[in-house]
Amino acid sequence: MINDLWYKNSVVYCLSIETFMDANGDGVGDLHGLARRLDYLAGLGITAIWLMPFQTSPGRDDGYDVSDYYNVDPRYGTLGDFVEFTHGAKQRGIRVLIDLVVNHTSDQHPWFQEARRDEGSRFRDWYVWSKQKPANANEGMVFPGVQTSTWTYDKEAKAYYFHRFYDFQPDLDTANPHVQAEILKIMGFWIQLGVSGFRMDAVPFVIAEKGADVKKPRERFEMLRSFREFLQWRKGDSIILAEANVLPETDMDYFGEDDDRMQMMFNFQVNQTLFYALASANCRPLEKALEATRTRPETAQWGLFLRNHDELDLGRLSEGQRSAVFAAFGPDKDMQLYDRGIRRRLAPMLEGNGARIRMAYSLMFSLPGTPVLRYGDEIGMGDDLSLAERNCARTPMQWSTEPQAGFTKSATPILPVITGGAYGFEHINVADQRRNPDSMLNWMERLIRMRKEAPEIGWGDYSCVETGQQGVLAIRYDWRNNSILIVHNLMREPVEAEIDPGIGENGQLLIDIADGSNSKAGKDGKHCVFLEGFGYKWYRIGGLDYLLRRSDI
Ligand code: NOJ
């Protein structure tokens, strides 16, 4: 089991081929470039890569508008290069997950082109049409402020088509059995080329009823079971990581009561309350979110993250909580997006405060689930707010002090490299940080090692332990006679917290995993834990022989 359910304790690294490394000097990152950087990623210690969409696309939504599901966009390489890459990753023990974007296609996809041209086409009902403008055409936009409608008139088709996202992303009618069969075929294709599964885009919309008459769309959860079944028939250890920003009450509908739907889901509830905790130094709502998302089947796992390639969506927080996060991390209008979120990268949000940034990562890595890192965060990259919408946090990876940060030999990279100022590549780059033992990069490598040596987090039961301080979170994990306790101080000020990890007074120690020092309980069983401002401690609970007692090593 431990070795089979690899995703329970994986460390995932998310990147876009386009902005990672350009090997052929045309300004666009490519598969060759990525393959050359596999040793860097292996050295960092990550165990899986999540590749953002790289299939053929007009690129109007950074690849989330696919025009050929069975090809690599020629700017990034060929299918042959893709297989070389997955093989190279496998040789280094790294798994590959890829985005699966099947809620919609690009309007340039031949299916849509044919469907709009010919009412009799077999592709016509692969999409969702209406002769009249539906009454709710101005509702349900995912990108408010940028997108004005969910139904757009197509002159050629002489009908309106439905699009949950931008108007160049017509929704597939996922209820159509032919569309469902095609989705399985796409999964089967990429599985065959060496991937271990998919980050499935926009899952609630994929499974929602669609149509002009649909007032309150019902979800067809059975579809999720058919995806999983198919995948597991083809390749037993492949998984789906669902992008589903839903309320905790529906989590089990996505995971499946019988442990038969999604193996993984991103935990948006925890993500948002985590940012509230960082902003307000109040951990209580985060503790509640952990409790609300506790229930999940035995083989399921949460995907945890701080920032991703989209805006930090704060839509699930209360009005007051949301204002607190905006005030702390995104006070200016141009830092905000879609009336609900912040589009900045983590380091500038936390004012470049190294201790705070490290504490935030340590905290995320210590919560129940599998951590998902975003490229560049391991060196503390910044953003470029002059770029439109979410592009500000999608700038090229900063490798060195060479021109264009060593990302490309071209003078015109696909997106501008961040230059000058505190986050410019002159200061923030991999090459410099490699040489400095105290750098963010080397710290991240140590954090990843520490997380991998704490399988209790992925497998164990957890409980939040009372710390007497709203700004201090202590979480304990127990698994197979092993226990760990991880404590974070979200406050600027140092603190002394009285913590009773529940192990009694007798001979039990808290052993600091980072430096080996230990603390003994007082008569009342309590430990007095001192934490610097934004400090943290990872402890193993027990006698000094804990390494010998661990059943899995
Ligand atoms: C969610 C993705 O994360 C986002 O980047 C994209 O724009 C939409 N889905 C549409 O595919």
Side-chain angles (χ1 to χ4, degrees):
M1 268 281 263
I2 307 175
N3 295 321
D4 293 328
L5 304 192
W6 58 271
Y7 53 91
K8 291 281 255 186
N9 265 317
S10 185
V11 179
V12 182
Y13 186 94
C14 150
L15 68 94
S16 169
I17 297 175
E18 183 171 84
T19 48
F20 201 60
M21 180 66 209
D22 171 23
N24 67 2
D26 65 355
V28 183
D30 46 41
L31 281 160
H32 274 158
L34 171 56
R36 280 192 205 159
R37 289 294 181 255
L38 275 171
D39 288 316
Y40 164 77
L41 295 173
L44 186 58
I46 57 108
T47 62
I49 295 172
W50 153 28
L51 284 187
M52 321 224 1
F54 55 83
Q55 290 85 353
T56 314
S57 161
R60 295 182 67 191
D61 182 14
D62 222 0
Y64 284 93
D65 47 336
V66 177
S67 57
D68 181 359
Y69 287 96
Y70 300 102
N71 243 315
V72 170
D73 192 289
R75 292 172 309 157
Y76 310 144
T78 63
L79 282 174
D81 298 330
F82 183 78
V83 172
E84 283 303 292
F85 157 69
T86 52
H87 177 69
K90 190 171 175 198
Q91 294 294 76
R92 291 163 179 86
I94 298 175
R95 291 178 181 265
V96 178
L97 299 172
I98 65 170
D99 245 289
L100 179 67
V101 189
V102 290
N103 175 65
H104 45 267
T105 67
S106 157
D107 59 359
Q108 300 307 307
H109 197 295
W111 302 336
F112 188 70
Q113 290 296 327
E114 203 177 310
R116 78 193 325 182
R117 236 187 342 258
D118 175 6
E119 213 170 330
S121 151
R122 73 184 183 97
F123 294 115
R124 184 74 170 200
D125 56 9
W126 282 37
Y127 294 90
V128 189
W129 302 99
S130 171
K131 287 277 176 210
Q132 263 80 50
K133 185 173 184 177
N136 56 4
N138 299 323
E139 290 166 20
M141 283 81 72
V142 175
F143 303 125
V146 183
Q147 180 192 357
T148 49
S149 168
T150 47
W151 288 89
T152 292
Y153 187 70
D154 185 64
K155 277 201 202 119
E156 226 181 317
K158 297 193 188 57
Y160 289 83
Y161 63 91
F162 176 64
H163 52 91
R164 177 60 72 180
F165 297 92
Y166 296 111
D167 59 1
F168 54 82
Q169 291 167 315
D171 267 46
L172 282 164
D173 184 1
T174 41
N176 180 330
H178 296 290
V179 171
Q180 289 182 9
E182 192 73 28
I183 295 175
L184 300 187
K185 196 159 135 190
I186 295 167
M187 292 202 283
F189 177 80
W190 292 103
I191 282 293
Q192 205 72 20
L193 297 191
V195 311
S196 291
F198 303 91
R199 175 265 188 196
M200 195 171 203
D201 191 55
V203 176
F205 299 132
V206 172
I207 62 173
E209 270 181 301
K210 309 182 188 194
D213 309 328
V214 176
K215 296 229 159 50
K216 210 173 164 287
R218 260 188 335 112
E219 290 98 353
R220 298 190 190 80
F221 288 106
E222 333 73 71
M223 226 189 262
L224 300 179
R225 183 189 159 113
S226 69
F227 296 153
R228 175 166 178 166
E229 260 181 6
F230 171 82
L231 262 189
Q232 300 212 315
W233 289 330
R234 288 280 168 102
K235 194 160 175 255
D237 60 352
S238 48
I239 62 149
I240 299 180
L241 162 56
E243 186 217 10
N245 183 352
V246 293
L247 289 170
E249 297 87 275
T250 52
D251 288 345
M252 285 306 285
D253 293 327
Y254 285 85
F255 284 133
E257 291 287 347
D258 297 325
D259 211 348
D260 58 352
R261 294 178 185 165
M262 305 285 89
Q263 289 93 341
M264 290 188 80
M265 266 209 314
F266 281 116
N267 197 332
F268 282 92
Q269 201 72 23
V270 161
N271 175 259
Q272 304 189 17
T273 45
L274 200 161
F275 273 95
Y276 175 68
L278 292 172
S280 64
N282 176 2
C283 302
R284 299 297 175 244
L286 175 58
E287 287 176 3
K288 278 200 194 131
L290 290 170
E291 197 48 49
T293 56
R294 175 187 288 280
T295 315
R296 63 189 133 106
E298 228 191 315
T299 70
Q301 185 58 296
W302 286 114
L304 299 169
F305 60 105
L306 283 170
R307 289 290 290 111
N308 62 16
H309 62 292
D310 290 326
E311 78 287 2
L312 164 65
D313 186 340
L314 301 170
R316 304 246 173 249
L317 297 180
S318 71
E319 190 86 39
Q321 291 171 336
R322 191 164 40 250
S323 322
V325 182
F326 274 134
F329 300 141
D332 302 346
K333 262 278 162 252
D334 78 334
M335 298 170 174
Q336 303 174 5
L337 197 60
Y338 310 137
D339 307 330
R340 60 167 180 249
I342 301 179
R343 63 187 189 122
R344 307 172 81 190
R345 275 232 190 211
L346 186 79
M349 277 167 81
L350 301 186
E351 293 163 335
N353 181 326
R356 198 176 192 189
I357 296 169
R358 290 175 192 201
M359 183 275 291
Y361 271 104
S362 167
L363 176 59
M364 188 268 275
F365 270 60
S366 75
L367 297 178
T370 283
V372 181
L373 271 181
R374 175 141 170 77
Y375 81 90
D377 281 2
E378 74 273 29
I379 53 171
M381 266 173 60
D383 47 46
D384 177 351
L385 295 179
S386 72
L387 300 176
E389 291 180 63
R390 294 158 292 162
N391 277 352
C392 60
R394 298 176 177 183
T395 59
M397 179 69 180
Q398 296 172 196
W399 293 107
S400 68
T401 52
E402 288 170 68
Q404 308 300 343
F407 159 69
T408 178
K409 294 258 181 291
S410 159
T412 50
I414 174 91
L415 278 177
V417 169
I418 296 184
T419 310
Y423 299 97
F425 72 91
E426 301 86 346
H427 295 298
I428 306 279
N429 65 71
V430 171
D432 284 355
Q433 294 200 16
R434 289 271 320 261
R435 292 183 206 112
N436 174 1
D438 298 326
S439 67
M440 177 80 192
L441 177 62
N442 283 310
W443 175 85
M444 185 62 81
E445 195 181 316
R446 295 192 291 273
L447 178 69
I448 292 175
R449 180 175 311 124
M450 192 152 74
R451 172 64 182 77
K452 283 158 89 175
E453 289 175 357
E456 292 87 347
I457 301 179
W459 288 104
D461 295 329
Y462 63 91
S463 50
C464 290
V465 178
E466 183 53 54
T467 64
Q469 306 269 348
Q470 183 168 277
V472 179
L473 184 82
I475 186 160
R476 173 184 167 155
Y477 291 89
D478 297 281
W479 181 63
R480 296 192 173 172
N481 290 327
N482 293 289
S483 305
I484 53 175
L485 176 78
I486 310 174
V487 193
H488 286 87
N489 176 16
L490 281 76
M491 300 178 286
R492 255 173 229 281
E493 306 74 37
V495 71
E496 222 169 51
E498 295 252 291
I499 300 179
D500 180 355
I503 47 179
E505 181 201 349
N506 282 342
Q508 290 283 29
L509 301 170
L510 290 181
I511 301 150
D512 187 322
I513 298 180
D515 67 13
S517 65
N518 55 63
S519 128
K520 209 165 171 352
K523 285 247 166 310
D524 52 1
K526 283 191 179 163
H527 287 256
C528 181
V529 174
F530 175 77
L531 296 157
E532 299 285 354
F534 301 131
Y536 57 89
K537 299 268 185 198
W538 289 49
Y539 292 114
R540 201 157 266 294
I541 300 176
L544 286 170
D545 62 337
Y546 74 89
L547 270 177
L548 301 175
R549 287 190 298 111
R550 276 197 40 189
S551 48
D552 64 316
I553 48 178

